[in-house]
Amino acid sequence: MKWLIRGGRVIDSQNQVDDLMDIYIHQGRIMDLQPVPPKRGTKSLSDYRVIPAEGLVVCPGLIDIHTHLREPGFEYKETILTGTRAAVTGGFTAVACMANTLPVNDNQSVTEYILNKAKEARLAKVFPVGAISAGLKGEALAEYGELKTAGVVALSDDGNPVMNSQLMRRAMEYAQAFDLPIIAHCEDLTLSRPGVMNEGPTSTRLGLHGIPSAAEEIMIYRDIQLCQMTQTPLHIAHISTAGSVQLIREAKKKGLPVSAETAPHHFSLTEEAVIGFDTLAKMNPPLRTKNDLQAIQKGLKDGTIEVIASDHAPQSALEKEVEFDQAAMGIIGLETTLPLTLNLVHRGILTLPQAIAKLTQGPARILNLPGLGRLEPSGPADLTIIDPDLEFQVDIRSFVSKSKNSPFHGWTLKGKAVLTMVEGRVVFNQMAPMVEE
Amino acid sequence: MNFDRHHLLGMEGLTREEIETILTTAESLKEISFRDIKKVPTLRGKTVVNFFHEPSTRTRTSFEIAAKRLSADTVSLSANTSSLVKGETLVDTARNLEAMNPDVIVIRHSMAGAPHLLSRMTKPSIINAGDGMHEHPTQALLDLLTIREKKGRIEGLQVAIIGDIAHSRVARSNIIGLKTMGAEVMVAGPPTMIPPFIESLDVGVTSRIQEAVAWADVIMMLRVQLERQQQMLFPSLREYSRFFGLNLETMNKAKRDVIIMHPGPINRGVEIHPEVADGPYSVILDQVTNGVAVRMALLYLLLGGKKSEMAD
């Protein structure tokens, strides 16, 4: 199959491209990119199927560095099939899935299982993240060599912070032997427990135990210090506080190999979303204050935070239709991350190329994904076509994810993916009928 | 009269007018409890379920007596007799109760927001009888009634709430209720038990209870729970009692006409010394009596009973 994606605004921050271009695709690879208007007809178009992208944005396939696919073990919440379907629907051509499955992804059997399921699904590419510690228990190192050989691209105990500083140091050192970055979930459990929301005026009003910002910042500071000792690339997951942004900004100033991500809910919602005990606003780290939200937006703008990640965390009604204290943390995000990111563009906080870089170039660089996050001749034809001005109402009933736990239901957003292509295959298409494989 | 609510989930959101309606209704119903035959037919045929997911003697008994004095049928369920011990979720239990068509579910729960969850999931009127550290609105209402009765007003009074503010739903509901009614509030206790950002509720804060006691027209003491010691909130009951308990010496600095309240149950000798609890300024038992009146008023108002039937 040969494709011509015609006349779209091609944005590839890796190659500093932001031009109207035609993209020619053959056998799953990009053949050529040619600026428009010059002259068409240099190629014989008769054997190309044309995707008219005039007025649309064409960018490298979006990459989600932080997804929970829940399989194996929690298939009632999400499976690799439904999760990757949600991914491509949201414009993602690749996701990195966290290790907190059952069994934990701390060995090659689980990694291989995930990769096989992803291959069967034939939707988004899946890059498994292996556990830092065996069983996510925080006691002993997992087998990084075996994990790397099986295909993991990073290490994280996401969901369970590594409380033992010695273990974290050893993990960072040992990971160097296999060129694996560490993704740190930063939370001092002795300070955050038994908190269920941000510690602030709202937690005091609602009588809920609070999680102070310091619980996140203390651990970020620790991990930055360990990064300074070991020089292992450290990626800080889902930062939520103004203090965290500042710590990362300073670490980068020192030239440390530190990067950070935030999630759309941390730049779109504040702790006030919890009022009324809405369990859909319960997540870890918790929604913070307006001041934090503004600092996060500033960190995105000035480049301190180079990745936006969904932190897609499917939970069923079993986990959410319960008392707030009992409810599980997390929301789904694969189908809302791009629109909420584009919201920052519409509000003038980010430029469109900046926003797209945080979903493409940023995660590709951190996870060392060769050829991804960019559009280059002979590179894989993984790309996303976005209609930045398409207005729609978020409706959980239309989500393809198996879980529906989103606090954004009913929001009117502008801009979404209309076509997703993985290695030349159209895996999501809202531009039909003219485009069919 | 102005009361058009289906649920009572908290003091938050109640207007001054609504609170006054409840208090005035309670005052008029209070007399029933002093009759020879303590019963009126107002809520005949109505069913009130007391669903107590956490131990309680006073509040549950008070609700039960209140409902019975208005001729409602009452059923009581506690956590260990309900299916919750068999693993049924709160929402399922409530939906099953709902299927039997009660008019009111009075719920006490150890977790904040449980009544709000029920109010979203089921149809009967929900009364919050205490949810975690969040609110205990009927306690605040009976406290307001007691203050109004003893002091003749609420507006402009200075009320000190002393003890474990952070874990107290009584404190939260009272702060909101008192502020709505125009009183001034100061909270006092060890800094570990003062919740962060409490100033956002527009209250004064001190860790010296002498200061609060000398300032106050009304003193509300809160119960301190033993388990807080394990949570590193204070070193020992002995030390707590010495520095944060209300004793006669501290009371010497109080205003002459001060009243002392306590939501119960009292830890005699810990947060309040026996001589103070039993002293002339103590209105602790009046609070209990008013609790029945306030709960009668709420059941009446929520179920929309008719004034004419009350006359009997």
Side-chain angles (χ1 to χ4, degrees):
Chain A
M1 176 70 64
K2 288 178 164 181
W3 294 102
L4 163 59
I5 300 175
R6 193 185 63 202
R9 175 178 169 192
V10 174
I11 297 179
D12 171 3
S13 46
Q14 177 69 34
N15 293 305
Q16 283 150 9
V17 170
D18 182 358
D19 288 306
L20 297 181
M21 292 183 118
D22 291 335
I23 302 178
Y24 295 89
I25 292 158
H26 182 45
Q27 289 184 331
R29 309 225 142 240
I30 294 171
M31 302 297 293
D32 200 6
L33 295 107
Q34 289 201 351
V36 276
K39 43 200 177 279
R40 290 217 177 89
T42 49
K43 278 184 204 296
S44 154
L45 291 181
S46 60
D47 50 347
Y48 281 85
R49 301 200 59 162
V50 176
I51 301 174
E54 289 87 357
L56 303 176
V57 169
V58 184
C59 66
L62 309 184
I63 301 164
D64 187 22
I65 201 170
H66 194 139
T67 302
H68 297 272
L69 291 177
R70 301 296 190 214
E71 187 177 1
F74 305 98
E75 291 83 354
Y76 70 100
K77 299 183 187 190
E78 193 83 283
T79 63
I80 289 166
L81 178 64
T82 60
T84 52
R85 187 176 289 142
V88 298
T89 305
F92 290 95
T93 57
V95 297
C97 60
M98 289 297 161
N100 58 343
T101 47
L102 187 68
V104 168
N105 185 15
D106 61 359
N107 64 77
Q108 66 178 3
S109 313
V110 176
T111 306
E112 282 164 5
Y113 177 87
I114 292 168
L115 289 171
N116 284 334
K117 285 280 173 179
K119 205 183 252 177
E120 281 170 31
R122 290 187 87 225
L123 293 163
K125 292 176 178 169
V126 173
F127 295 100
V129 175
I132 289 174
S133 69
L136 299 181
K137 290 203 179 92
E139 292 162 3
L141 295 177
E143 294 168 324
Y144 302 167
E146 175 182 301
L147 285 166
K148 168 89 179 194
T149 309
V152 310
V153 295
L155 299 166
S156 182
D157 271 7
D158 184 64
N160 293 27
V162 178
M163 285 296 292
N164 183 325
S165 304
Q166 181 72 287
L167 178 68
M168 193 60 161
R169 174 203 174 154
R170 297 304 180 204
M172 285 175 145
E173 288 173 342
Y174 188 63
Q176 289 178 355
F178 306 99
D179 292 321
L180 289 168
I182 298 275
I183 301 177
H185 167 129
C186 293
E187 175 186 0
D188 182 343
L189 288 173
T190 63
L191 196 51
S192 63
R193 281 181 179 154
V196 293
M197 69 169 295
N198 182 49
E199 180 171 303
T202 307
S203 64
T204 288
R205 262 178 68 198
L206 295 178
L208 291 170
H209 286 286
I211 301 173
S213 297
E216 176 172 318
E217 293 151 6
I218 285 169
M219 286 305 242
I220 290 183
Y221 185 75
R222 180 199 75 175
D223 288 351
I224 286 172
Q225 294 304 102
L226 293 175
C227 174
Q228 186 161 18
M229 277 170 73
T230 61
Q231 294 295 318
T232 302
L234 170 69
H235 178 70
I236 314 274
H238 46 49
I239 65 169
S240 69
T241 79
S244 302
V245 178
Q246 190 52 30
L247 284 167
I248 289 155
R249 192 175 283 133
E250 283 160 16
K252 289 188 155 186
K253 224 174 267 171
K254 281 194 224 165
L256 297 177
V258 171
S259 59
E261 82 198 21
T262 192
H265 37 279
H266 290 303
F267 61 71
S268 306
L269 292 170
T270 67
E271 59 171 11
E272 287 178 20
V274 178
I275 293 171
F277 300 94
D278 186 354
T279 57
L280 293 176
K282 182 175 177 183
M283 50 204 71
N284 190 17
L287 298 173
R288 304 283 187 181
T289 64
K290 198 169 174 201
N291 177 47
D292 295 303
L293 179 136
Q294 285 165 347
I296 295 278
Q297 292 179 352
K298 190 157 176 282
L300 284 165
K301 191 186 171 89
D302 70 17
T304 303
I305 306 168
E306 60 267 68
V307 176
I308 292 172
S310 75
D311 197 1
H312 183 78
Q315 304 288 4
S316 77
L318 287 175
E319 285 89 22
K320 286 293 192 184
E321 275 183 19
V322 294
E323 299 88 327
F324 196 89
D325 281 333
Q326 300 273 56
M329 305 274 193
I331 62 166
I332 53 171
L334 283 168
E335 294 172 73
T336 47
T337 292
L338 175 62
L340 289 163
T341 302
L342 293 173
N343 197 28
L344 295 180
V345 177
H346 297 307
R347 290 170 54 203
I349 294 161
L350 296 180
T351 65
L352 187 55
Q354 271 180 325
I356 286 172
K358 294 185 194 299
L359 295 165
T360 54
Q361 183 189 10
R365 181 186 70 77
I366 290 156
L367 297 177
N368 305 311
L369 304 176
L372 299 195
R374 62 187 70 184
L375 294 172
E376 289 168 358
S378 87
D382 291 6
L383 53 85
T384 305
I385 303 181
I386 298 166
D387 183 343
D389 298 312
L390 179 63
E391 258 194 20
F392 70 104
Q393 195 170 39
V394 179
D395 184 346
I396 53 170
R397 287 160 301 191
S398 71
F399 282 164
V400 299
S401 171
K402 208 165 188 176
S403 291
K404 309 293 172 201
N405 51 311
S406 170
F408 298 110
H409 178 67
W411 282 39
T412 298
L413 294 171
K414 200 163 103 174
K416 68 186 294 295
V418 290
L419 186 141
T420 309
M421 180 181 277
V422 175
E423 304 216 333
R425 280 181 304 110
V426 174
V427 286
F428 169 72
N429 176 11
Q430 202 184 295
M431 297 172 71
M434 64 277 222
V435 186
E436 268 166 27
E437 195 166 356
Chain B
M1 254 247 315
N2 178 4
F3 200 86
D4 187 24
R5 282 176 185 270
H6 187 53
H7 305 296
L8 181 76
L9 302 178
M11 295 303 287
E12 181 146 19
L14 284 186
T15 63
R16 186 165 176 160
E17 204 183 358
E18 285 174 313
I19 293 174
E20 258 154 17
T21 300
I22 297 167
L23 300 185
T24 306
T25 308
E27 271 163 357
S28 75
L29 293 175
K30 188 171 172 180
E31 159 275 327
I32 294 168
S33 295
F34 294 90
R35 292 182 190 175
D36 233 14
I37 293 166
K38 304 177 183 57
K39 209 177 188 69
V40 293
T42 316
L43 298 184
R44 198 165 47 199
K46 304 285 187 186
T47 307
V48 176
V49 174
N50 287 318
F51 183 22
F52 277 62
H53 194 263
E54 198 185 59
S56 158
T57 313
R58 190 180 334 256
T59 306
R60 187 164 75 172
T61 310
S62 182
F63 265 109
E64 208 159 321
I65 288 176
K68 286 187 164 139
R69 291 205 172 142
L70 294 172
S71 299
D73 297 310
T74 65
V75 188
S76 281
L77 260 113
S78 55
N80 46 9
T81 60
S82 79
S83 315
L84 288 162
V85 289
K86 298 176 196 160
E88 193 176 47
T89 66
L90 178 65
V91 172
D92 279 329
T93 305
R95 281 185 178 143
N96 277 280
L97 288 175
E98 182 187 14
M100 299 179 228
N101 296 312
D103 300 284
V104 177
I105 298 177
V106 177
I107 178 174
R108 155 74 58 96
H109 199 285
S110 59
M111 291 175 201
H116 306 69
L117 178 65
L118 289 199
S119 73
R120 283 196 296 266
M121 299 286 179
T122 64
K123 282 196 280 302
S125 286
I126 305 293
I127 298 180
N128 181 356
D131 62 324
M133 311 183 300
H134 180 225
E135 281 227 42
H136 191 354
T138 58
Q139 178 71 42
L141 289 164
L142 73 87
D143 289 343
L144 292 173
L145 180 61
T146 308
I147 294 170
R148 190 159 100 167
E149 210 175 73
K150 300 293 169 187
K151 291 287 191 180
R153 66 190 168 109
I154 299 170
E155 177 153 23
L157 288 179
Q158 304 188 147
V159 182
I161 307 179
I162 299 174
D164 182 359
I165 311 296
H167 297 89
S168 176
R169 53 193 173 214
V170 175
R172 274 180 186 74
S173 284
N174 263 310
I175 289 170
I176 298 164
L178 286 162
K179 298 298 299 185
T180 307
M181 299 306 285
E184 282 182 65
V185 179
M186 184 188 290
V187 297
T192 46
M193 292 177 162
I194 304 287
F197 306 97
I198 187 77
E199 318 77 45
S200 64
L201 297 178
D202 192 22
V203 299
V205 184
T206 178
S207 54
R208 270 164 270 282
I209 77 157
Q210 294 77 6
E211 186 190 328
V213 167
W215 172 83
D217 299 308
V218 176
I219 297 171
M220 291 185 177
M221 296 305 293
L222 298 176
R223 177 181 167 78
V224 61
Q225 283 169 308
L226 278 175
E227 73 211 56
R228 305 296 174 211
Q229 202 176 330
Q230 276 108 59
Q231 295 166 0
M232 299 174 270
L233 297 176
F234 63 92
S236 66
L237 284 181
R238 184 172 156 270
E239 171 141 321
Y240 186 92
S241 166
R242 184 164 160 209
F243 292 95
F244 302 101
L246 193 56
N247 55 34
L248 279 178
E249 194 193 326
T250 310
M251 280 306 293
N252 284 335
K253 303 197 178 70
K255 292 184 183 169
R256 200 164 298 165
D257 61 346
V258 72
I259 58 170
I260 292 180
M261 309 175 79
H262 191 298
I266 293 177
N267 286 316
R268 280 177 183 265
V270 182
E271 71 266 4
I272 190 163
H273 289 243
E275 322 88 80
V276 179
D278 302 330
Y281 25 62
S282 166
V283 299
I284 295 172
L285 295 176
D286 302 87
Q287 289 173 269
V288 179
T289 304
N290 284 336
V292 174
V294 154
R295 288 165 182 130
M296 287 169 76
L298 274 172
L299 291 170
Y300 168 72
L301 290 169
L302 288 174
L303 292 176
K306 293 199 181 60
K307 201 83 180 164
S308 58
E309 294 176 41
M310 198 68 59
D312 168 48

